[in-house]
Amino acid sequence: MTTIHNAEGQLLRHSGPPVPQNSAFGRKRVGLAGGAGFVALALAGCSVIGTGSENDSDSGTSDGAGSGVVQVVTHDSFHVSEDLIADFEAESGYTVELSAPGDGGALVNQLILTTDSPLGDVAYGVDNSFASRAIDARVFEPYTSPALPASAEQYLAGDSDALTPIDIGDVCLNVDHGWFAEAGIPEPESFEDLLDPQYEDLLVVTNPATSSPGLAFLLATVGAFGEEGWLEYWEGLAGNGLKVVDGWSDAYSVDFSGSTGEGDRPIVLSYSTSPAFEVGEGESEAPTGALLDTCFRQIEYAGVISGAANPEGAQAFIDFLLSDEVQADIPEQMYVYPVSDQVELPESWTQFAPLADDPHEVAPAEIDAHRDEWIEAWTATVIG
C-alpha cells in the first residue's frame, strides 16, 4: 500500500541538493536552514545585494563598465557567497537583484507565463527536465558565453544556444548505513532490489508533480526500464510499501531514519552529494551512502530572458557564474558539481560525493514530449 503525506513549511524543492538543518553542511548554511540571511531574502521575493545606487536603475554600459540593475530570477535555493556578488558588482558596475518564484519547475512555469512581461534579465536554475519547455516557449535569447569551459560543452541543451550550463548533480537514492547494520538486512544496490519484500515499507520518495528531485527520479526509472517497463516498476514499489511526500525536506528530515530525521524509512530520495555533508568533523566515514545505480543527472542552466531590460548585464552575470571563483564556490554553497573541471573540489567529495559513472538518461526531446503524460500516469498508478 502507498501512503502520501502533504508537506508543510517545505524547506527545499529545487533541482540542487538539499540541506538537512542539523547536518554538517546544514550548520554551515544557517541562512538557508534557518530561513535567514541571503537566501531568505531571495525567498521573500526580492533582495538587492551590493552597493549600487538605488536610483541607478537604467540599464546599459558606460566607458566599458556596466550600470544599473541586473534582475536575476532563480529557484529558491540559489546561493553564491556574498563577497563574490559584491566583487561582481564592484567590477562590473551593476547592482544585483534576486527574486525566487519557487523551485525549478515553478521557475520555468513563471518564466513562460510572463513572456510578455519578463520577470527579470537573467534566469538561473532551469534544469534539463524542463529546459526544452523553456526553449520551445522562447523564454530565452541566444547567448554563447566566452567564459564557457570546454568541459561544459557536453552539457549544452542540444542544438540551442539559449541556455548555458552552470552546474550538475546526481539525484539518487540514499541509505542509512546504521539502520541496515542494526537490522541485519543487506543494503539495496539497485532499482530491482527495492521490489524485494525485505525492503517493504522502507522507501520514501518525493512526488514528481511537486518536486524537481521527484521528477528526476521518475526519469531515472524511465531511463532504466524504458517506455514499456517504468510504470510497472512503480506499481511494484507501490505494492511494497512505498511512501510519497511532496518535498525533499519532509522526506529527508522527517521520514528518513538517517541524518536529522527520526523517521522509520532508511531509504530516501536525495543526491549523491548528500553523504559528504553528513560526515562530522574528524570523522572518516559517512553515516549515509548514495546508491549510484539509481541516479539521474540534473544539469542546471542560466539564460538571458527574452525582452530583458538589461541584456548586457544578464550576459555579464552568466559570465560571472562561469568564472573560476564562482565555479569553485558552487560545491559548498549549492552542493552540486561545477561544470568546469578546472576548479578544485572539496576534499571530502572525492570520497563521499562521487558522481555516478553511468547515470540513467532520457533525451530532452523525449522528456518534453512525455513529461506531463508520465506525471499523470505516475499519479494515477501510485497515488490513485
Side-chain angles (χ1 to χ4, degrees), residues 337-348:
Y337 277 79
V339 292
S340 173
D341 61 2
Q342 298 302 304
V343 301
E344 185 176 355
L345 294 170
E347 184 177 347
S348 62

Side-chain angles (χ1 to χ4, degrees), residues 97-131:
E97 290 184 357
L98 294 176
S99 62
D103 73 354
L107 171 63
V108 172
N109 289 338
Q110 287 300 309
L111 290 170
I112 291 174
L113 290 171
T114 58
T115 52
D116 292 333
S117 182
L119 292 175
D121 301 307
V122 58
Y124 161 83
V126 175
D127 74 15
N128 51 321
S129 64
F130 287 102

Side-chain angles (χ1 to χ4, degrees), residues 173 188-203 221 225 229-242 267:
L173 294 177
E189 297 180 0
S190 67
F191 282 125
E192 290 84 357
D193 287 348
L194 298 172
L195 301 178
D196 192 305
Q198 69 180 327
Y199 302 114
E200 184 176 3
D201 297 332
L202 301 188
L203 172 63
T221 64
F225 298 102
W230 75 271
L231 199 55
E232 181 180 352
Y233 175 72
W234 279 98
E235 290 176 348
L237 288 182
N240 207 31
L242 172 71
I267 312 170

Side-chain angles (χ1 to χ4, degrees), residues 149-362:
S151 57
E153 293 179 1
Q154 61 185 306
Y155 304 121
L156 291 169
D159 296 330
S160 173
D161 57 357
L163 288 171
T164 301
I166 304 298
D167 57 69
I168 61 174
D170 284 347
V171 176
C172 318
L173 294 177
N174 281 213
V175 295
D176 176 1
H177 292 318
W179 188 98
F180 282 101
E182 184 176 344
I185 299 174
E187 295 179 1
E189 297 180 0
S190 67
F191 282 125
E192 290 84 357
D193 287 348
L194 298 172
L195 301 178
D196 192 305
Q198 69 180 327
Y199 302 114
E200 184 176 3
D201 297 332
L202 301 188
L203 172 63
V204 57
V205 302
T206 52
N207 191 325
T210 59
S211 161
S212 294
L215 177 57
F217 189 61
L218 183 156
L219 295 174
T221 64
V222 172
F225 298 102
E227 275 280 358
E228 302 301 320
W230 75 271
L231 199 55
E232 181 180 352
Y233 175 72
W234 279 98
E235 290 176 348
L237 288 182
N240 207 31
L242 172 71
K243 184 173 185 178
V244 178
V245 297
D246 279 353
W248 174 86
S249 62
D250 267 1
Y252 200 88
S253 300
V254 178
D255 293 297
F256 186 39
S257 61
S259 186
T260 60
E262 297 181 357
D264 57 1
R265 304 258 168 170
I267 312 170
V268 66
L269 181 62
S270 196
Y271 286 77
S272 69
T273 52
S274 298
F277 298 99
E278 297 297 346
V279 181
E281 188 173 351
E283 296 179 354
S284 59
E285 295 184 0
T288 64
L291 305 185
L292 297 181
D293 288 339
T294 67
C295 297
F296 180 84
R297 183 153 299 164
Q298 286 186 315
I299 306 164
E300 290 190 304
Y301 299 96
V304 179
I305 299 175
S306 296
N310 189 356
E312 295 85 1
Q315 294 175 5
F317 193 80
I318 292 175
D319 298 345
F320 164 68
L321 292 177
L322 290 172
S323 67
D324 288 345
E325 292 78 11
V326 174
Q327 288 285 292
D329 192 55
I330 281 173
E332 293 195 288
Q333 298 300 327
M334 292 191 284
Y335 311 108
V336 285
Y337 277 79
V339 292
S340 173
D341 61 2
Q342 298 302 304
V343 301
E344 185 176 355
L345 294 170
E347 184 177 347
S348 62
W349 282 44
T350 303
Q351 184 174 0
F352 300 116
L355 288 168
D357 291 331
D358 189 23
H360 298 287
E361 298 180 350
V362 181

